Amino acid sequence: MSEVRQVPLILPDLGLDDSTLRASMWLVPKGKPVYRGDRLLEVFAGEVTFDVVAPESGVLSMKMVDEDDRIEVGQLLGAIVASEELN
């Protein structure tokens, strides 16, 4: 049996003014499988939208921010339970 491993989703430094960063829209519901590189969350930064992508394959197990929440670089956005079966 494989070990359960939580992989945090952290907002990376986008090189933008933190005061304008907002969680725009979750693209995957909690509890759904995701694959490395899948788009998970749109982040609105002024007039630009960026995607937070899955760092590993697994199941989106936790969402720590809601749509339209103000967010900051380094903030925990959610987590994925990693799954070797989805690689």
Side-chain angles (χ1 to χ4, degrees):
M1 183 181 267
S2 61
E3 180 180 323
V4 174
R5 189 167 49 91
Q6 288 266 359
V7 179
L9 298 175
I10 306 291
L11 183 63
D13 185 354
L14 303 170
L16 300 168
D17 179 12
D18 285 359
S19 66
T20 64
L21 299 177
R22 293 206 177 273
S24 179
M25 179 173 54
W26 281 98
L27 303 170
V28 176
K30 180 179 165 188
K32 292 294 182 178
V34 297
Y35 295 90
R36 177 177 290 175
D38 281 358
R39 298 170 53 225
L40 302 178
L41 175 67
E42 288 184 351
V43 174
F44 182 71
E47 296 180 10
V48 181
T49 301
F50 292 90
D51 293 329
V52 174
V53 299
E56 293 196 36
S57 299
V59 174
L60 183 60
S61 61
M62 180 174 47
K63 293 180 179 181
M64 298 295 295
V65 298
D66 292 322
E67 294 177 0
D68 205 35
D69 281 356
R70 186 172 176 272
I71 53 179
E72 299 176 356
V73 170
Q75 181 173 342
L76 179 64
L77 305 173
I80 294 172
V81 173
S83 173
E84 292 181 15
E85 289 86 33
L86 295 176
N87 285 325

